[in-house]
C-alpha cells in the first residue's frame, strides 16, 4: 500500500463495530492513497456513486471516532486521516 499501512491496523479498523461500513470504506480509501493525499469531499464523490450529502455524515462519523481531524482554511476544510484514532488524551500527550 502506498502509505505502508500495516495489515494489523486495517484489521483493527475493519473490526471496529462503532464505525459504519460506508465510513470504513472512506477510511480505507484515504489510508491507501499515495503519500501527500489530501482527502476532500470532491474527491470522495468523484470516486463513488455517493453524493456529498452522503459523504459529509461519514466524515463526521470518522471525526467523532478520532480517525479524521479537520482544519478550517481559507479555501474550505483540510482533512487529515489517522491510522490510529486521535483522542483528547492523545493530543494532550497523555
Amino acid at each position: 500500500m502506498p502509505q505502508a499501512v500495516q495489515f494489523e491496523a486495517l484489521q483493527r479498523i475493519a473490526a471496529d463495530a462503532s464505525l459504519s461500513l460506508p465510513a470504513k470504506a472512506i477510511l480505507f480509501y484515504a489510508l491507501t492513497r499515495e503519500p501527500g493525499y489530501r482527502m476532500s469531499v470532491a474527491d470522495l464523490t468523484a470516486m463513488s456513486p455517493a453524493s456529498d450529502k452522503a459523504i459529509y455524515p461519514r466524515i463526521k462519523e470518522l471525526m467523532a471516532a478520532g480517525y479524521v481531524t479537520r482544519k478550517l482554511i481559507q479555501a474550505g476544510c483540510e482533512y487529515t486521516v489517522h491510522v490510529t484514532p486521535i483522542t483528547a488524551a492523545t493530543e494532550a500527550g497523555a
Side-chain angles (χ1 to χ4, degrees):
M1 284 179 227
Q3 292 188 16
V5 177
Q6 293 185 358
F7 185 70
E8 294 81 17
L10 295 178
Q11 284 182 312
R12 181 182 38 76
I13 293 167
D16 187 341
S18 71
L19 294 177
S20 67
L21 287 175
K24 289 176 187 180
I26 289 171
L27 185 56
F28 280 19
Y29 174 78
L31 289 173
T32 57
R33 300 301 93 203
E34 296 296 326
Y37 169 75
R38 296 277 185 221
M39 187 175 81
S40 70
V41 173
D43 180 52
L44 295 173
T45 56
M47 61 71 56
S48 79
S51 69
D52 60 345
K53 290 181 181 178
I55 299 289
Y56 280 114
R58 302 296 67 88
I59 291 176
K60 287 181 182 178
E61 179 183 350
L62 292 169
M63 289 172 56
Y67 286 104
V68 172
T69 52
R70 178 179 65 190
K71 178 181 174 184
L72 298 177
I73 57 174
Q74 192 169 11
C77 296
E78 181 177 278
Y79 297 101
T80 303
V81 180
H82 310 280
V83 174
T84 303
I86 302 297
T87 63
T90 306
E91 288 180 342

